Amino acid sequence: MFGRLRIRGCLLRLPLAGSRPPRTLRLRKGLSRRPDWRKRRFGGASTHRIITVAIVALAAAFSLPAGAEVLIGAAGPVTGQLAWVGGQMERGAEMAVAEVNEAGGVLGQQVRLITVDDFCDPEQAMAAAQKLVADGVVFVVGHMCSESSIPASKVYEAAGILQISPSSTNPMLTEQGRANVFRVIGRDDAQGTVAGNYLADHWADKKIAILHDRTTYGKGLADETRKQLNQRGVTEAIYEAYDPGKTDYSSEIAALEATDIAVLYLGGRYDAAALMLRAAHDRGYALQLVSGDAMSTEEFGLIAGPAAEGTLFTFVPDPRRNPEAALVVEQFRSENFEPEGYTLLSYGAVQVWARAVEKAGSLEPQAVVASLRNNQFETVLGRIDFDDKGDLTTQSWVWYVWRSGAYVPAE
Amino acid sequence: MVERLGIRGRLLLAFFGISTFAVFATAAALYAFLQVGEVVDSITRDRVPSALASLQLSRQAERVAATAPAILTSTSEARHNEVSAAIGAEMTRLEELLAALKGAALDVAAVAEIEAAVLGLRRNLDALDDLVAARLSVVARKEDLLRRLSATTNAGQRLVAPGILVLNSKLPQWQAVTADTSRAADPGAATAADVVQAIAAYLPQQKAHQEISAVNDALVKTADAPTPGDLTLILFPLRRSLAVLETISTEIDERLRVRFRQRVDELKALVDGENSIPKAREDEFAVLADGEKLLAENSRLSRSLTAAVDRLVSAADSEITASGLEAALVQRYGTGVVLGSAFLSLLSSVLIVWLYVDRSLLARLGSVSQGMLAIAGGNLRAPLPAAGRDEIGRMADALRLFRDTAVEIEEKNLREVAEARQRLVDAIESISEGFALYDGEDRLVLSNSRYRELLYSDLAIELAPGTTFEQIIRRSAERGYIKDAEGRFEEWVAERLSRHRNPGEPWVQRRADGRWIMIGERRITGGGTVAVYSDITELKKREENLAEKSAALEALSAKLAKYLAPQVYNSIFTGRQDVRIASQRKKLTICFSDIAGFTETTDKMESEDLTQLLNHYLTEMSKIASDHGATIDKYVGDAILMFFGDPETRGVKEDALACVEMALAMQKRMTDLAEIWRDIGIETPLRCRIGIHTDYCTVGNFGSEDRMDYTIIGGAVNLASRLEQEAPPGAVLISYETFAQVKDTIDCVELGHVQVRGIAYPVATYRVLDLKANLVAAGSAVRTELPHLRLEAEPELMSAGEREEAATALRDVLDRLCHKPG
């Protein structure tokens, strides 16, 4: 608690401090071993700034070529149907890089972010990954969709590049045995269990339909949920696939209505979900939509309009409520950007990489991977600890409900 | 005075004169070369370095001017630094060259001009460098702005995307509603109104989407606008699009309004103002224009620098040319001097040699040498040069003395040679053999009168020294002196020549007149041939006589041999045994044979047939006897007495065995002969009886001094004869003594004892069957001979097939014998 408060104090002082704030000092505070010269930090602001500058200069002179840049990549659907999600990643990663650079970069080098657009398409994801490899990045935030992350991870492994996904939930990503892959979000086997239990607890006596969009993410999540539901002794009335990317889902909704479905569990993305709700609303058909983490985007509300009301979905505990994230959230909001959905997860992914590099004292992928596995990191996402596969050791999925154009925690 | 110096002094004087002229020529040449060297030296020392430095400077200036544009094209900081460093290095080198030139060049004004140009170039390049740095920063700014444009565009598009999606989803509904209108008017109209309202709400977003794209496209185009004029052209539609977007920002969904407004403002900032993309492009244009100006200035400076350097170079060039001409002139003079002195030196040498050395020395030396050569060649009367006081004169004196002595010695030698020759001729004449000596080329050198007398008494054959050997023998053969040459003239000549040229042992030649000449030829050292001829006609005649007698004796002894046993004959004629009355006791094996019932059988025969039959029989038997090594003692009618053990013995046992084997061979042969005789008409086969006994006998020559007989005597002979008489016809009977010797090899059957006259006890007799080996091989051979039946069978030797055949034949015979006809 004390440590957090101190960090906060420093951050708050930033805008007031004016030119060249001693960010390096703030970062190094986390280190357990404190060099002798640090004892003089209370000696006076100017002395301590001079020393800091000197140390930074020395470090730059001896360890690394002056003016060198560290390149990192961010890959996600920057444009297209899932552009809002891509925007979340882009803004989150940019903000994190800006914060790292303002604090003096990693190992004294400035970090530059290269964003590539993968349209959540497996082939495009491979191409995007190869572009990043060619550019010489050492680390990639992404990809966002599981169907992109999984094929891209092979390219990154071959090139020796670290990959941390902020949003890919399909278990397969970390089950392939690739040492370079990590994620800062939970897995769909856990999410599906939570969803299956919820459906069984609340609508065991109602007709439940499970639809999925055939994608790695959508079908994976739908199957996990169905498995848990069936284990609980409840059988769905309908289990079907639908085509994502359509503009009209009236016929699908009509079919559900005809079967007298009360609850729809959807394994898919928010655009289709919102259009389905709209179609149901237009017909005056009251359908309870339950879905996964993909619904955590404002655009869902914008498309569905009033029909979004009451939609339930699972997502990680809202990082916006973390005290560590308060300052960053404030910063985003001051720029008229709501850091919802995967924004802070992307921010956290960059942050955890930067801390791991500082701890490893090297940009070498092996050293950074070891550092990620062997340490715990304080980030905007709270304390992060990875297991051997690259998954978070503590994962939790909580329920959110859409109320008047925004999602809020259920109950 | 010259005369007193002698040859040595005069020659030294001549050489000294020639050498003096040569020294003069060398000195002149040396002087000329020194002159040329000095001129060339002054060129390399003074003029070449400055020219070279000027040239290098000029090239370096050109290189700098050529590299400079590269700096303007560099698009990255790293590339700029690289090019800038390269140009810096080239400039530094240029300045170094300038410093070097200052030290070397003579034209101060030109150097000052060059220095000013180099300074200008340096300033200009520095300015260019700064300008490029400025341009890079402008480009970086532009790129940053483009990135911001992209982000803003994406963000703007994202804001309007939900509206567009909803709009698109409404379209099918609208279509459905329009279709419904035709059927049900009222509810359809209401729904259509709803749809239209909804679409109207989302239309601004659709429009915003288009305008944002338009602004983005226009700005991207601006970033690469080819001329400043294009910039102003593009700005107008940009501003109009922005105005539209501003209008839309007031109409858009209120939840998005603030964010949309923000995006529009960002776009505005990118279109207008200090930090806009058109402004950045404008700045870039300005920088590029400045750069072009600087580059033009740069190449102007470079040109003026090159021009100044060129002047310097051409000045140096003309100086080098002038120096070259000077050097060439000096060289020409030098060459003239050298050639002249060389000619003079040669001329003086020729004059000295011709006028002095040749006339007063060489001519006289020549006449002395001619005199010497004439004396060496044997001409002792050749003229000699006159005597004198110098070395050549003294040499002529000595030569004369030498010639007189030589004349005296020559005369003495001639006398001695004539005497020796006469002695040799006398010696050769005194020997009784013919003698001839031919030289290496086979020409007659010397011969004595005996030679002619012996071989060529005919005076027509020329035997003068010098006649070749071949001529001599050809002529003698033509005249028919040589017996061998008759009818084969050429062949004989070739043989004779080859024998003459490769002489060996002495040999004999037969002459046509019946004489025999022995010819001995020898090669002598120095390549000649000596031939000695002796008459051996008497000797030859005696030899022929002897040969005739010897042949007669041989014929006689051959006739006599037939009356003697071959062994006896051999031992007499080889001289192993003397022909004299002598005898010795030896253990012999005696064999008696005769034909059973010979008299009865032959009674009715004619005398001629009988003689033929008997001779046939005896010849066959004698042949077998001598094959087995028997000594045939005598023939008594049809009986033959033979013995083994003298004059040669192989040992008692072997003799006895040989004898029995011979007897068996005879009996076998008799069987074969019976066939033959039957064919010629002797109905009853002749059968032989043989008796053999082994014992001590007296063997040797018995008789009178006039006539002797080689025979054996003793009781053993009687016993053998008795055994023969006891033997059944066709059988061989042997005594126990013989049986004891042969029992291991021969199979016999004991027959019983016989009483022999003169021997007190009865003698055990054995009938010989066959060799044990034969019996084993023949096994149970079947032999039966009856009137009208002869049977011989050897089953052990038959193969299975043969046995089968034989059995069939015998069975057939048996059948016919048992079943008599009728």
Side-chain angles (χ1 to χ4, degrees), chain B residues 475-599:
Chain B
R475 205 155 310 154
S476 71
E478 273 163 17
R479 301 188 71 87
Y481 284 156
I482 313 295
K483 190 83 176 169
D484 284 352
E486 282 168 12
R488 48 192 287 274
F489 177 73
E490 284 301 328
E491 231 175 293
W492 177 83
V493 169
E495 270 172 29
R496 181 68 188 94
L497 279 175
S498 108
R499 190 167 244 169
H500 175 75
R501 275 162 199 163
N502 306 294
E505 288 297 301
W507 56 284
V508 177
Q509 191 181 58
R510 195 171 170 201
R511 308 295 285 194
D513 55 7
R515 282 185 306 141
W516 294 88
I517 307 292
M518 180 179 263
I519 303 174
E521 286 174 318
R522 285 274 147 65
R523 304 289 291 183
I524 54 169
T525 49
T529 308
V530 167
V532 176
Y533 303 83
S534 24
D535 190 341
I536 56 160
T537 312
E538 284 303 311
L539 214 64
K540 203 70 188 174
K541 273 182 184 157
R542 272 204 294 278
E543 190 182 301
E544 271 171 13
N545 234 340
L546 223 56
E548 271 167 29
K549 278 179 186 158
S550 164
L553 278 174
E554 266 172 32
L556 191 62
S557 79
K559 282 178 201 157
L560 280 174
K562 290 184 186 167
Y563 291 94
L564 295 172
Q567 289 88 344
V568 178
Y569 172 83
N570 280 339
S571 49
I572 292 168
F573 278 86
T574 51
R576 266 186 293 154
Q577 202 167 341
D578 270 351
V579 182
R580 59 187 170 86
I581 297 177
S583 62
Q584 56 183 333
R585 264 181 82 80
K586 271 179 116 175
K587 194 162 193 174
L588 303 176
T589 300
I590 304 130
C591 176
F592 242 98
S593 87
D594 82 338
I595 295 172
F598 183 72
T599 321

Side-chain angles (χ1 to χ4, degrees), chain A residues 76-98:
Chain A
V78 181
T79 61
Q81 285 188 323
L82 299 174
W84 279 69
V85 182
Q88 290 170 3
M89 179 202 70
E90 200 176 12
R91 290 300 296 268
E94 273 173 6
M95 186 70 88
V97 168

Side-chain angles (χ1 to χ4, degrees), chain B residues 184-200:
Chain B
D186 277 353
T191 323
D194 280 355
V195 171
V196 170
Q197 206 176 353
I199 290 173

